[in-house]
């Protein structure tokens, strides 16, 4: 656990030190659970969004994108169920006066049992060496089985109680598990209460005529209310999807875990409109497609897993998370939800407008069903950033900190150095940059010895360093150094574009989804 915490602290400090993420309003002591993306962070974030958008919108001729407004008619949130049901169950500790999400307290308890299982597996793997069969061990070891059963019992009881709004039982579960407040260490809990997560605001100048609005807590509703517009103007035929990337706002109670849980964050959502009855099939298809997208980035299949929801949101008939192994354990990165016709039917009812699709293939009109994929940009950022940050021991006994970002997502693709600040080498380096910058984000660095410049670019996650030296003046070749292998090769300046492009081209990465 301490190791995990150290790693997480290192992620946060590295993100600040290397210009990726800053606390919002830092000079005023910050604003809790709100963050700013810095000069490198914004590039990484934009690259993540582009990687998603291309996979969704560009590569699928039946998916189109929109960018709807954050302000929406307030009745939308009544129709969507968010006014009545977008709540978190809260519990206060009477001694520390700290407030927690009751479900998160229980999930943290479960995470401790999971850590025990993992410890048991690691110990056994060491004991049995190459002969170790992890799956068999998990299926047969009595301690592991008992702990797995414990987890299932706890989560299914919590799911059922939350579903039935039986908050007294959620409290009873916390008490039975003897969960203590992490601050006071006491079990002196209040009752569990529901708390709505939407931020309210006002539209209009005068106090009497101002309209109460909400900041959208998900981008999805902007898609639903534009369903007819897009379907008609785009002449879309079911099955088809509408994708959107945009900000969402939630008054989160558990304001910790850095950019994992923020009050202002960004979502990449896609609503896929389908024929009623085909939802099971599409649910499986999209689960598989999204997992392939994640795996195409090469961050280790073992770092992802599906988690089927025990408690379904008010709109869903099936739902699963893609969880990622963050520095604080496996947590939700993306949600895949079978939303039925809940949203469109509800908007039909509240707006009084018919929201239906005439299916020429079966000669029938219906309210389409919806399959949703929804991923947080910030969580994806944290997944990529934390997974890439490693301290590596080198053969000469020294260590280096390197951010092994998938090259396609790296903010800067190459840094160009003159070996020395004289003899025309800086001018030549800048000439190379002037050519490369039409295709890639590139940086120039002439400060310090080349070895230190390499280390700086390693820590920034730059896949290539290109050094211009005296030989360059004679034969137009440079040294290119690869971030991960640290290998260096001599190549012609005229080949640089091809070498870099091969490593960072979206096509080469997305093709791995096939
Ligand atoms: N439209 C469905 C929806 O919003 P959700 O599971 O509440 O579903 C989807 O959110 C994704 O948005 C999550 O998987 C997560 O990646 C991201 N997300 C949700 N709340 C967040 C928060 N407070 N901070 C950062 N990301 C968040």
């Amino acid at each position: 656990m301490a190791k995990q915490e150290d790693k997480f602290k290192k992620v946060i400090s590295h993100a600040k030190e290397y210009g990726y993420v800053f606390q919002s309003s830092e000079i005023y002591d910050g604003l809790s659970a709100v963050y700013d993306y810095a000069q490198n962070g914004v590039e990484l974030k934009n690259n993540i969004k582009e990687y998603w958008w291309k996979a969704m919108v560009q590569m699928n001729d039946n998916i189109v994108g929109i960018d709807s407004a954050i302000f929406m008619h307030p009745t939308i949130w009544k129709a969507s169920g968010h006014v009545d049901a977008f709540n978190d169950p809260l519990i206060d500790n009477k001694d520390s006066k700290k407030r927690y999400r009751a479900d998160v307290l229980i999930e943290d308890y479960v995470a401790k049992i999971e850590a025990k299982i993992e410890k048991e597996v690691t110990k056994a793997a060491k004991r049995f060496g190459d002969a170790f069969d992890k799956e068999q061990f998990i299926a047969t070891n009595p301690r592991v089985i008992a702990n797995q059963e414990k987890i299932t019992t706890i989560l299914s009881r919590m799911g059922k109680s939350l579903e039935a709004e039986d908050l007294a039982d959620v409290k009873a579960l916390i008490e039975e598990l003897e969960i203590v407040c992490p601050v006071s260490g006491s079990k002196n809990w209040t009752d569990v209460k529901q708390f709505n997560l939407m931020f309210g605001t006002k539209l209009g100048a005068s106090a009497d005529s101002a309209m109460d609005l909400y900041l959208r807590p998900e981008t999805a509703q902007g898609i639903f209310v534009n369903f007819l517009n897009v379907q008609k103007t785009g002449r879309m035929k079911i099955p088809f999807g509408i994708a959107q990337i945009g900000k969402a706002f939630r008054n989160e109670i558990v304001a910790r875990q850095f950019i994992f849980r923020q009050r202002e964050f960004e979502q990449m959502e896609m609503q896929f409109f389908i024929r009623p009855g085909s939802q099971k099939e599409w649910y499986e298809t999209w689960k598989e497609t999204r997992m392939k997208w994640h795996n195409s980035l090469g961050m280790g299949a073992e770092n992802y897993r599906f988690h089927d929801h025990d408690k379904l949101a008010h709109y869903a008939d099936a739902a699963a998370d893609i969880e990622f192994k963050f520095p604080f354990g496996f947590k939700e990165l993306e949600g895949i939800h079978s939303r039925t016709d809940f949203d469109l039917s509800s908007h039909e009812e509240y707006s009084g407008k018919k929201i239906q699709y005439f299916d020429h293939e079966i000669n029938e009109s219906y309210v389409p069903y919806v399959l949703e994929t929804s991923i947080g940009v910030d969580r994806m950022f944290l997944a990529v950033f934390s997974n890439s940050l490693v301290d590596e021991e080198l053969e000469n006994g020294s260590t280096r900190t390197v951010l092994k970002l998938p090259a396609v997502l790296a903010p800067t693709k190459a840094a160009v150095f003159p070996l020395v600040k004289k003899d025309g080498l800086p001018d030549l380096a800048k000439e190379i940059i002037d050519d490369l910058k039409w295709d890639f984000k590139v940086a120039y660095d002439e400060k310090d010895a080349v070895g230190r410049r390499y280390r700086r670019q390693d820590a920034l996650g730059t896949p290539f360093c290109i050094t211009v030296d005296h030989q360059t003046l004679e034969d137009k070749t440079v040294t290119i150094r690869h971030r991960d292998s640290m290998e260096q090769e001599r190549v012609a300046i005229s080949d640089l574009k091809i070498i870099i492009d091969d490593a960072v081209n979206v096509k080469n990465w997305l093709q791995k989804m096939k």
Side-chain angles (χ1 to χ4, degrees):
M1 218 57 167
K3 226 175 167 185
Q4 280 189 350
E5 273 166 31
D6 287 351
K7 163 89 199 218
F8 191 34
K9 277 190 193 147
K10 170 126 205 209
V11 165
I12 298 170
S13 66
H14 196 90
K16 179 171 182 195
E17 191 180 341
Y18 287 91
Y20 275 86
V21 183
F22 300 146
Q23 172 69 261
S24 158
S25 323
E26 197 187 289
I27 59 169
Y28 291 96
D29 297 331
L31 194 60
S32 165
V34 187
Y35 291 89
D36 297 335
Y37 286 85
Q39 65 277 17
N40 294 309
V42 69
E43 299 285 346
L44 173 56
K45 203 178 183 210
N46 284 341
N47 292 343
I48 289 172
K49 290 194 267 185
E50 188 195 5
Y51 196 67
W52 182 88
W53 190 265
K54 286 206 162 152
M56 278 293 176
V57 179
Q58 195 162 317
M59 298 312 297
N60 291 297
D61 54 15
N62 62 347
I63 300 182
V64 292
I66 61 163
D67 183 14
S68 69
I70 288 172
F71 290 142
M72 297 170 80
H73 195 284
T75 310
I76 286 173
W77 305 110
K78 192 77 193 146
S80 69
H82 284 81
V83 171
D84 297 321
F86 195 54
N87 300 318
D88 271 349
L90 294 190
I91 190 163
D92 293 311
N93 183 268
K94 290 182 194 162
D95 299 318
S96 67
K97 311 275 181 252
K98 289 271 173 209
R99 179 162 276 192
Y100 300 93
R101 261 176 65 175
D103 55 336
V104 171
L105 278 181
I106 296 168
E107 278 165 12
D108 284 351
Y109 180 89
V110 165
K112 284 186 191 142
I113 310 178
E114 279 173 345
K116 269 190 202 160
I117 295 175
E118 225 175 286
K119 215 168 154 187
E120 200 89 51
V121 172
T122 316
K123 235 169 60 190
K126 260 193 202 149
R127 202 166 57 237
F128 295 114
D130 287 345
F132 183 62
D133 179 339
K134 188 175 168 187
E135 268 169 36
Q136 195 198 1
F137 179 78
I138 288 175
T140 53
N141 180 279
R143 273 191 305 274
V144 172
I145 293 172
N147 275 328
Q148 291 281 20
E149 278 171 5
K150 203 168 166 191
I151 290 174
T152 312
T153 311
I154 293 170
L155 289 180
S156 105
R157 176 163 162 203
M158 180 178 85
K160 277 191 196 126
S161 310
L162 289 172
E163 184 97 36
E165 295 264 329
D166 186 354
L167 299 182
D169 192 56
V170 178
K171 183 180 180 187
L173 183 58
I174 289 174
E175 285 173 340
E176 279 167 39
L177 297 173
E178 303 195 343
I179 294 175
V180 296
C181 165
V183 177
S184 68
S186 89
K187 293 178 232 159
N188 197 5
W189 297 109
T190 61
D191 288 342
V192 179
K193 284 192 206 98
Q194 293 288 21
F195 174 84
N196 194 287
L197 295 183
M198 283 196 293
F199 282 107
T201 184
K202 288 198 184 288
L203 187 88
S206 79
D208 339 321
S209 63
M211 192 182 201
D212 285 319
L213 291 190
Y214 295 105
L215 294 184
R216 66 179 180 200
E218 63 169 11
T219 61
Q221 296 305 323
I223 294 179
F224 291 126
V225 297
N226 277 299
F227 166 77
L228 281 182
N229 283 338
V230 174
Q231 191 272 316
K232 291 210 166 107
T233 57
R235 305 201 319 203
M236 308 301 290
K237 283 203 178 72
I238 275 179
F240 76 90
I242 305 178
Q244 164 155 239
I245 300 179
K247 290 263 180 163
F249 304 83
R250 295 182 189 177
N251 197 359
E252 296 283 2
I253 303 314
V254 184
R256 57 187 164 102
Q257 294 171 323
F258 191 39
I259 54 172
F260 180 83
R261 200 181 299 286
Q262 294 176 88
R263 296 194 164 117
E264 173 180 339
F265 58 100
E266 218 168 346
Q267 289 184 316
M268 305 190 279
E269 299 202 295
M270 195 279 298
Q271 312 296 320
F272 200 68
F273 299 93
I274 54 176
R275 215 177 259 172
S278 64
Q279 66 268 33
K280 273 210 170 75
E281 193 190 311
W282 282 113
Y283 177 61
E284 292 308 326
T285 303
W286 277 109
K287 270 175 78 174
E288 195 189 319
T289 308
R290 292 303 303 146
M291 193 57 111
K292 278 190 188 160
W293 181 84
H294 286 287
N295 281 323
S296 70
L297 287 168
M299 300 204 297
E302 70 284 1
N303 291 320
Y304 299 87
R305 70 182 187 193
F306 283 114
H307 167 76
D308 294 322
H309 282 205
D310 293 306
K311 178 192 185 263
L312 291 173
H314 56 275
Y315 48 73
D317 72 354
D321 294 335
I322 293 180
E323 293 188 338
F324 184 77
K325 198 171 181 192
F326 287 98
F328 37 83
F330 272 100
K331 295 273 177 213
E332 174 186 347
L333 169 59
E334 169 157 10
I336 291 123
H337 312 123
S338 173
R339 288 183 82 128
T340 67
D341 59 354
F342 174 86
D343 301 87
L344 291 184
S345 295
S346 193
H347 287 307
E348 245 194 347
E349 188 190 328
Y350 277 82
S351 69
K353 310 270 179 348
K354 196 170 161 195
I355 308 183
Q356 302 217 346
Y357 172 82
F358 183 75
D359 193 327
H360 288 275
E361 279 180 28
I362 53 170
N363 257 340
E364 234 179 71
S365 246
Y366 54 78
V367 178
Y369 268 44
V370 172
L371 218 292
E372 167 184 75
T373 73
S374 174
I375 172 167
V377 179
D378 314 82
R379 283 198 192 171
M380 187 60 197
F381 183 110
L382 183 58
V384 172
F385 192 88
S386 59
N387 188 261
S388 304
L389 186 62
V390 284
D391 281 328
E392 229 175 43
E393 275 207 23
L394 303 179
E395 274 171 14
N396 65 7
S398 65
T399 55
R400 70 162 182 158
T401 298
V402 51
L403 196 57
K404 292 188 168 178
L405 297 171
V408 65
L409 301 182
T412 304
K413 305 303 186 196
V416 186
F417 312 152
L419 183 66
V420 287
K421 278 191 264 181
K422 54 181 186 181
D423 305 334
L425 300 188
D427 288 342
L428 198 45
K430 283 174 191 161
E431 253 176 53
I432 294 175
I433 288 183
D434 279 345
D435 184 38
L436 291 178
K437 74 182 177 193
W438 291 94
D439 298 291
F440 315 106
K441 181 145 190 337
V442 278
Y444 175 79
D445 192 0
E446 60 174 25
K447 199 167 172 276
D448 303 322
V450 169
R452 289 187 70 172
R453 284 182 254 173
Y454 283 155
R455 289 288 175 276
R456 201 153 48 229
Q457 295 302 329
D458 284 348
L460 283 164
T462 310
F464 297 106
C465 290
I466 296 160
T467 308
V468 172
D469 55 21
H470 292 95
Q471 193 184 326
T472 314
L473 297 170
E474 287 160 25
D475 65 5
K476 298 261 177 268
T477 64
V478 288
T479 306
I480 187 163
R481 180 226 189 224
H482 300 255
R483 177 196 66 197
D484 298 349
S485 64
M486 296 193 296
E487 266 168 28
Q488 299 183 18
E489 49 179 334
R490 194 89 204 167
V491 301
I493 293 175
S494 55
D495 286 342
L496 284 174
K497 211 176 282 181
I498 296 172
I499 297 172
I500 300 170
D501 188 63
D502 192 47
V504 307
N505 194 313
V506 173
K507 180 178 174 188
N508 290 348
W509 288 79
L510 275 184
Q511 268 178 342
K512 294 178 200 158
M513 278 180 79
K514 285 201 179 130

